Each structure stands twice: as structure tokens, then as C-alpha cells.
Amino acid sequence: MTRDDGNLAVPLLQVRNVSKLYGARIGCSDVSFDLYPGEVMGIVGESGSGKSTLLNSLAGHLVPDRGEVIFDTRAEGPVDTVTMSEPERRMLSRTDWAFVHQHARDGLRMSVSAGGNIGERLMAVGDRHYGSIRERAADWLGRVEIRECRIDDRPSAFSGGMQQRLQIARNLVTGPRLVFMDEPTGGLDVSVQAKLLDLLRGLVREMGLSAIIVTHDLAVVRLLADRLMVMKDGHVIETGLTDQVLDDPQHAYTQLLVSSVLQV
Amino acid sequence: MSDYNFAYLDEQTKRMIRRAILKGLAVPGYQVPFASREMPMPYGWGTGGVQVSAATLTPDDTLKVIDQGADDTTNAVSIRKFFEKTAGVSTTEVTEKASVIQTRHRIPEAALSEDQILVYQVPIPEPLRFLEPRETETRKMHALQEYGLMHVKLYEDISQHGAIATAYAYPVKVEGRYVMDPSPIPKFDNPKMEMAAIQLFGAGREQRIYALPPYTKVVSLDFEDYPFEASKADHPCDLCGAEDSYLDEVILDDAGSRMFVCSDTDYCRSRRDAGHIGRMGELAA
């Protein structure tokens, strides 16, 4: 990991007191943390604990009621993405940010071929050379272990695991610096999950990605995350290094969560 | 004629449409919403174009109506009759003599001049429609100039067919700003859109008007390694021998014989009147 080499004083993402309310009910409340370049943060908690609300607030899909989400942009340094203009935010979300949905169908264009899906972000940032777009699409298919001969097939002809890998390729093709993942392994069977996790771990390390992963699967964070945040009822109840939190949980709920995992 | 207000629509409606047209001309390629009226013809028969024409016509105008280039097809004949009856304007089939030309799916072959107006009938004004079904989202994409999706469509064309197979309604970028659907004209006509005449586009069902002022820059989208090509059937016209006009293919029998004829009937006739004769010209005359 590159975290200790000292010149990374500026966090990639600074989250300050982010709150999102749904009327009187709390979505997430007063969440703050820093994410440094190359770091993977896991957010765990049960259904309804506010994980996805938090992730969507950070990624700009929801507007938080309070708080700041400060991203270290390439051009201007740290900028609050909540108050930045919409064109800037949308530009960010197709260049430096990536969002991997739980259901690949939400993140893919099902009526467009695999190559077109991967090429979309390239074309969105101005690539106008068919040959080079196709070459990069083929390269990325290879990196997510989909055979190149499937490049002109539609995602609807792919298995669930392949769709998820395609979604990842489509997101990473522009070399983003921050990836938001919402239950990336949800709905996949365990052997496919294992392959996907292996792939993700390789890509994260190789590209030096920072990532925020929301999941209820502790095995996923154990494998991928450097740090862990445990949420319950919209509040963060425990944070720390992944191994520390999982091996020595302090909060009663975290203890319950860790002990609920079946040991095979 | 006295049973109708001039050109069928009431004056308030015409003012409303003219305001939309002026706004469209001020922001070339931008789709201006307007309160489209029920017209005495079904949607898809040119209700948008008819409303724009009605708001544009003056009693001194000469109207020409074409459908797929032809003056004598059902759509063209019925709209021409409609304005003969409701506006009492003179009509013509000669492109050069018309001051207002309403068209469906073609631009006339003869170059238009600065004192002419070309009115297009538009079925679906939104070029992003089949890529992004949400209207709220496509508006945002236009506002923010997020047009990468348009190229995804062209990419799909090349990956499936080896070339950009889109042959009509080929998307264009107007003055480096708005991506616009040129209505279902063949892409052969796309380069003609940089012309001297005013071009107005009316979509009745979708309630949109957009426009191109004279000499507006109109660029057809393409890839660096797959440039735009204004294609047509590789054939001269069998009636008038023209090699530069857009052709319709006509099947003659069930034994494989066919002929190619100019889709612009006025252009073809004027050439034949001037003595040009194609492969089957005499036979047809």
C-alpha cells in the first residue's frame, strides 16, 4: 500500500458531517471520514442502516441535507462536490468517479453491445476514433476476463457474473480515481463472487484506486477494504482498520454482526 | 375560403407559433416547446409542418408541398389542397417559384435561395430518444452538451455493419452546440442543410419547433476513422440521366428488373423538359 509514503497529506475525499433525512426519518446522520488515495473503505451494516443513502449522497445521486463532500480534483484541488455546479459534478462522475451498481442492469445499457458499453465513457469525454475505442474496449474485456469474441454481444446475452464484470470494465475504462460500489457481489453465487472479488482486488491494487464499498457481506470487506465503518440506524457506530474491527469488535451491534456470520 | 380564418389556424395560435419559430431561429437546433393544436389530419401526416407553414404563409406566398421528394403523392397532394382551400394561396410544383416549401423526408435537389423557407415535417424531434427514453434526462443532456451517447449509436452501427449504417435521420451538430435530428431525410441531403433558405422544423405530436437560420453550420456526426459519407444509389436516373440526384428504386416485375428514378419529381421533369434522357426515359415518356 502507498499510504505510508508521506506525500499524500491531502485526502482524496473528505466527508464532513453528511446528513440525509427522509422527512422525519433519518437516512444517515452526521457522517465524517477521510479517504486517502489508494485506500479502500468498507461500509457495512444491516438493511436500512443508511449505507446506500450515504453512498448515494457521496456520489451525487442524492443531495445531502447537511455536510460537505470535498473531492481533491485534478484541476482545482479540493472542492466541495455538494455545492459545485451540476455540469462539473456530472463531468466528475464520468471521468474521475465511477459507480458500480448492485444490479448490473442499472449500470449497463442493455440494448448496446459490450464494446459500446465500455466505449460510452470514452466517447462521452471526446474520443472520436472508432479503432482506438474498440481497441480499448477489447483490452478491458480481457482485463475483466470476458473473451474478446463477445465484444459485439449485448449484455442481455451475458451471465450475471459477466454482466457485473462488464459493468466494472465500463466504469474503469477512463481510469477513475474513486470508485463507489454498492453491493458489487450481491445476487451472485459464491464461486462467482470469489472470482469477482479476486478481480476487483487485483484491479484496485494495480490501478491504485480508492474505493468506497457498501456491503452487508463481511467477507467482501475482509478481502477488499483497508478500513471499515459500521452503520446502524443511520449512524456510524464503529470505525477502524478492517481486521481490527472484525477481530475485536467493540460495539454490541458489531459484535452481533460479526458473530452472525456462519463459519463453514 | 371565407369559412376559415386565413391558413386555418386562428391569429392567436399563429402568433404563438411564430414566437416559437423566432426563438428557434435565435437558438439554432434548440427544440422549442409549443402548444401544438389539433389539426384536421392524423398525427404522422405532417401536423407539425402544417402548423409551421400556416404560421409562416402570407396571402402573397406561393406554396410547394413535397413528400419523399414527390409533388404528386397522397401526403403532398392533401396538404397542398388543404392550404389552397383554407389560405387561398397559389401553389406550384416548381421549386424555384415557391416561397414556402413544406417537405417530408427530402430537401429539393435545386439549391434554395434566401427568399425561400423550407418547412420540415418531423415525427420525432429528439435525436437522443432511442438511446435515452427519459425526456427530463435528454433535456439535461442537451443543456450540458453531453452528446457522447450519440456516438455510441454510431459505434453500434459500425460494430454491427462494418460502416455507419444510419441512412436517414442522420444526427447533426448545429453551430458546434446542439445535436439535432434533421427529420428523416436521407443522409445524402445532410450537406445541403448549410443553405441560403430558412429551415423550420415542426413536430406536431411531440409539440416541438426548431430551426436553422440561413448559412448555419451543420456538421454530421462521425468518427475520425469512419468519416460521414453522403451516400446514394450508385446509378444515374433512368428517366432523366441525372447522376447527382437522390434516387428511388422501383421494382418493375418479379424477374429482377428495376429502375432508379429521381425522388425529386420536379427536378426530374425539369431535366427531361431540358432534353436530358436516361436509360428508360423515352419508354416512360
Side-chain angles (χ1 to χ4, degrees):
Chain A
M1 284 307 299
T2 54
R3 212 176 319 141
D4 297 326
D5 59 16
N7 59 355
L8 298 168
V10 183
L12 186 66
L13 190 75
Q14 304 172 52
V15 180
R16 296 281 173 268
N17 306 318
V18 167
S19 300
K20 173 74 188 171
L21 303 176
Y22 297 110
R25 278 171 293 128
I26 296 173
C28 63
S29 166
D30 236 12
V31 179
S32 301
F33 66 90
D34 286 343
L35 186 76
Y36 286 86
E39 193 178 30
V40 178
M41 163 79 97
I43 304 176
V44 296
E46 60 192 3
S47 300
S49 62
K51 317 184 290 281
S52 295
T53 299
L54 176 61
L55 193 74
N56 284 321
S57 302
L58 300 182
H61 299 172
L62 290 173
V63 184
D65 294 312
R66 271 195 307 280
E68 296 174 332
V69 180
I70 300 161
F71 181 72
D72 185 20
T73 58
R74 284 183 217 235
E76 296 165 48
V79 179
D80 183 6
T81 61
V82 177
T83 53
M84 78 174 14
S85 72
E86 191 174 10
E88 285 177 301
R89 190 162 52 239
R90 284 172 70 111
M91 189 58 172
L92 205 57
S93 67
R94 59 175 191 268
T95 52
D96 266 356
W97 287 3
F99 197 101
V100 177
H101 293 265
Q102 174 176 3
H103 303 291
R105 287 172 170 274
D106 296 339
L108 291 172
R109 289 193 188 276
M110 298 307 282
S111 56
V112 169
S113 70
N117 263 294
I118 298 178
E120 182 180 341
R121 274 170 78 113
L122 295 172
M123 294 182 246
V125 295
D127 200 328
R128 292 290 179 265
H129 191 282
Y130 176 81
S132 73
I133 292 168
R134 196 161 170 86
E135 202 174 299
R136 288 181 69 181
D139 173 48
W140 266 97
L141 280 181
R143 288 168 83 164
V144 296
E145 298 166 17
I146 297 174
R147 278 179 300 141
E148 203 185 316
C149 63
R150 303 299 300 270
I151 191 167
D152 290 331
D153 290 350
R154 293 186 174 184
S156 46
F158 286 7
S159 70
M162 282 168 80
Q163 287 181 2
Q164 199 56 286
R165 297 205 296 277
L166 179 63
Q167 191 194 179
I168 288 163
R170 165 188 159 91
N171 272 289
L172 297 188
V173 65
T174 47
R177 291 190 294 156
L178 175 59
V179 185
F180 300 97
M181 295 193 221
D182 190 4
E183 308 264 11
T185 58
L188 302 176
D189 70 56
V190 282
S191 61
V192 175
Q193 270 190 30
K195 268 188 83 172
L196 186 74
L197 285 174
D198 203 43
L199 176 82
L200 273 177
R201 190 160 58 164
L203 289 172
V204 163
R205 296 288 180 265
E206 183 190 324
M207 300 175 71
L209 292 176
S210 303
I212 300 176
I213 301 179
V214 159
T215 181
H216 55 249
D217 187 344
L218 295 182
V220 171
V221 287
R222 173 79 91 177
L223 223 54
L224 283 175
D226 302 310
R227 278 197 299 145
L228 203 57
M229 213 160 78
V230 184
M231 291 187 73
K232 184 171 177 9
D233 300 332
H235 296 274
V236 175
I237 52 167
E238 189 163 355
T239 56
L241 297 175
T242 304
D243 293 347
Q244 180 193 329
V245 174
L246 293 183
D247 294 339
D248 184 18
Q250 301 295 310
H251 192 279
Y253 171 72
T254 317
Q255 291 169 358
L256 176 72
L257 195 70
V258 171
S259 65
S260 324
V261 177
L262 281 177
Q263 303 293 329
V264 183
Chain B
M1 187 221 148
S2 57
D3 296 336
Y4 292 102
N5 188 39
F6 177 73
Y8 185 77
L9 292 174
D10 61 277
E11 294 303 313
Q12 275 309 108
T13 299
K14 285 193 277 184
R15 284 182 62 177
M16 175 270 292
I17 294 172
R18 285 174 197 143
R19 278 197 294 270
I21 291 173
L22 290 175
K23 182 170 178 181
L25 284 166
V27 193
Y30 173 72
Q31 300 167 42
V32 185
F34 79 111
S36 178
R37 298 290 192 253
E38 286 290 331
M39 297 303 282
M41 62 189 72
Y43 289 123
W45 283 61
T47 52
V50 164
Q51 289 178 78
V52 170
S53 292
T56 308
L57 281 174
T58 67
D60 302 331
D61 271 318
T62 306
L63 179 71
K64 170 184 163 81
V65 185
I66 51 174
D67 169 12
Q68 305 272 13
D71 290 276
D72 53 4
T73 48
T74 316
N75 198 215
V77 171
S78 62
I79 292 175
R80 192 163 55 232
K81 275 190 181 158
F82 175 76
F83 281 119
E84 278 170 359
K85 185 171 182 184
T86 60
V89 292
S90 55
T91 55
T92 179
E93 295 193 3
V94 182
T95 304
E96 289 80 0
K97 285 186 185 161
S99 54
V100 176
I101 304 172
Q102 180 171 335
T103 177
R104 172 174 177 266
H105 300 193
R106 269 317 304 279
I107 296 175
E109 301 291 352
L112 301 183
S113 61
E114 288 182 2
D115 51 6
Q116 290 179 307
I117 297 176
L118 185 59
V119 178
Y120 294 78
Q121 301 171 201
V122 182
I124 295 167
E126 178 53 73
L128 301 162
R129 174 62 66 243
F130 293 108
L131 302 156
E132 174 54 65
R134 289 168 295 177
E135 177 74 17
T136 47
E137 186 66 13
T138 55
R139 281 195 209 179
K140 201 169 273 181
M141 290 160 83
H142 281 295
L144 304 178
Q145 279 188 276
E146 289 181 3
Y147 290 132
L149 253 191
M150 230 44 259
H151 275 85
V152 172
K153 182 171 182 282
L154 301 180
Y155 171 95
E156 289 290 287
D157 258 13
I158 301 173
S159 72
Q160 282 169 28
H161 306 288
I164 298 178
T166 303
Y168 65 94
Y170 192 103
V172 294
K173 194 161 200 179
V174 177
E175 283 290 334
R177 179 59 182 85
Y178 284 100
V179 165
M180 186 187 94
D181 185 334
S183 87
I185 58 172
K187 66 178 170 184
F188 174 81
D189 283 344
N190 271 22
K192 293 189 205 160
M193 297 184 87
E194 289 186 12
M195 63 162 73
I198 293 175
Q199 296 168 79
L200 306 175
F201 299 77
R205 176 175 44 208
E206 303 282 327
Q207 312 198 325
R208 294 289 184 278
I209 284 172
Y210 50 104
L212 295 174
Y215 308 110
T216 302
K217 193 169 170 232
V218 178
V219 179
S220 304
L221 300 179
D222 60 2
F223 284 103
E224 289 159 14
D225 45 347
Y226 284 86
F228 171 78
E229 232 179 306
S231 59
K232 68 183 264 294
D234 186 18
H235 215 276
C237 172
D238 281 331
L239 295 179
C240 75
E243 309 218 358
D244 58 350
S245 73
Y246 191 75
L247 302 174
D248 287 336
E249 184 179 1
V250 183
I251 307 287
L252 296 177
D253 55 28
D254 59 358
S257 52
R258 63 193 59 200
M259 68 187 293
F260 290 89
V261 294
C262 293
S263 91
D264 186 336
T265 49
D266 173 57
Y267 182 74
C268 198
R269 194 187 47 223
S270 67
R271 275 181 57 88
R272 274 179 289 154
D273 289 349
H276 298 278
I277 285 179
R279 187 172 62 95
M280 301 162 85
E282 279 159 329
L283 189 126

